[in-house]
Amino acid sequence: MTTLSIFSQNEPTTAHTVTSDAAEIQRLLAEQGIRFEQWPTRAFAANASAEEILEAYADDVARLKAECGFQTADVVSLTPDHPDKLAFRQKFLDEHTHAEDEVRFFVRGQGLFYLHLGESVYAVLCQQNDLISVPDGTRHWFDMGPEPEFTCIRLFSNPEGWVAQFTGEAIASELPGYETLTGAV
């Protein structure tokens, strides 16, 4: 279930707000300039190719491209049997920013975005059908968990794709991680 947990950076072990209400999540994130949407499920085979997934969501992707100026869209998938899953997880666990919006639509599975906004950290557990757009310059990190299982559509303004500037801050290690917030082992 999609969940938003809000922590104070000064008391990072206990969330002061937790909600699974999609409308409330959208409202609280919008107040911080974060786009959050839930798109309807589209039909395609379980083993669909990236092209088939992009075709299934072509209208939604085209709308965002026109609205926000994105140039490219691709599909990324990770499964628990991927040999580099630990390296991929580690790559995204440190706080960083981007020079463009980071947009992810979860076609299947889930992942946990942490958004460091002022004195608070918003932990958004995104699941199938959730779209999140983290504005450029927003300090954040992503935790896919120890057994990642997701497929996402990514949209980019920069044709080079994912380029991060790491902040060097340790806050990501101070908050409850994926296993704690999702109950995963």
Side-chain angles (χ1 to χ4, degrees), residues 40-125:
T41 301
R42 305 282 189 238
F44 51 85
N47 62 347
S49 68
E51 293 77 20
E52 291 169 317
I53 292 169
L54 287 171
E55 178 61 32
Y57 289 96
D59 291 344
D60 295 303
V61 169
R63 174 180 55 86
L64 282 181
K65 282 182 171 181
E67 213 175 287
C68 305
F70 297 116
Q71 300 298 308
T72 62
D74 70 8
V75 175
V76 62
S77 290
L78 208 57
T79 58
D81 61 349
H82 194 287
D84 296 323
K85 67 183 179 185
L86 297 178
F88 283 128
R89 182 183 189 195
Q90 194 60 46
K91 177 180 178 178
F92 304 116
L93 281 178
D94 290 327
E95 185 182 75
H96 58 276
T97 64
H98 301 285
E100 68 174 334
D101 294 358
E102 181 167 349
V103 181
R104 300 292 179 269
F105 172 70
F106 284 80
V107 174
R108 67 171 184 83
Q110 65 181 18
L112 187 55
F113 274 92
Y114 292 83
L115 312 167
H116 189 178
L117 306 166
E119 301 291 314
S120 297
V121 176
Y122 289 59
V124 186
L125 178 62

Side-chain angles (χ1 to χ4, degrees), residues 107-160:
V107 174
R108 67 171 184 83
Q110 65 181 18
L112 187 55
F113 274 92
Y114 292 83
L115 312 167
H116 189 178
L117 306 166
E119 301 291 314
S120 297
V121 176
Y122 289 59
V124 186
L125 178 62
C126 294
Q127 306 229 322
Q128 182 179 11
N129 301 333
D130 290 344
L131 174 123
I132 189 165
S133 179
V134 180
D136 64 15
T138 301
R139 296 180 295 165
H140 69 284
W141 61 97
F142 177 71
D143 193 348
M144 62 185 74
E147 299 295 323
E149 182 74 42
F150 64 86
T151 298
C152 288
I153 295 175
R154 308 183 301 174
L155 290 108
F156 297 102
S157 301
N158 179 350
E160 292 178 39

